[in-house]
Amino acid sequence: MLDKNYEEIIKSLIAWIQDKVKDAGGKGVVVGLSGGIDSSVTATLCKKAFPDNTLGLIMPCGSKPQDKEDAQLLADNFEIDYKEIDLESVFNTMLELLDHCESKKLSRANIKPRLRMTTLYYYASLNDYLVVGTDNRSELKLGYFTKFGDGGIDLAPLGNLVKSEVREVAKILGIPESIITKAPSAGLWAGQTDEDELGITYEEIDHYILTGEASSKVKEIVDNLEAKNHHKLALPPIPKF
């Protein structure tokens, strides 16, 4: 990992969030609190940028109890105002209404982040806030997020930090160790972890992004995912006449 001054990065990110919100005419920010490291770092930066106008939303949807506990721990430690909206019943109602297929696990699971984003934008509209996303550079490189779910955001302050760099920022911010060391997971289904699903580690991904060096396996997985998911970062195609 390349040496960086993370204290200066933190200062610049706080100022960047403030500037972007003010440029958009917003009054503050809303962010989802998942109990994960990216969410925790993002929420803490938001709190420092807008001490009186940061709202966190804890939105369990068949989630592990530990995730909710970690989200509450983060909010309590940094005095972040938050609301809890349990979306499990809404999710189950959606499944009852849809002609869903049991074998299409990802299709069902992607409803969860889209419900969460709908909720975030409701509170953003209610308060004249912007929705701040938690996607890091590693996830954006791979397209490892749900289109119009956790990818449907106004700002992405961690977008130039790979996962390992987010951990360094988390340490300086004083994020609880239990959050920093937990296995990264999108919480899409029971037992799901990012690295198991991807088949490679974030350490390998980050090293490739930062240096261009990696094993043939890592290069193949990263390059294929980047090409396959490029559409997630692009505007919808519009025909030319």
Side-chain angles (χ1 to χ4, degrees), residues 57-77:
L57 297 184
I58 300 175
M59 297 170 284
C61 190
S63 311
K64 294 185 297 184
Q66 186 63 50
D67 291 340
K68 174 182 169 181
E69 292 173 13
D70 288 337
Q72 290 173 327
L73 173 65
L74 187 284
D76 292 341
N77 279 9

Side-chain angles (χ1 to χ4, degrees), residues 45 65 134 136 148 191 216:
L45 292 172
T134 65
N136 59 57
F148 306 123
S216 57

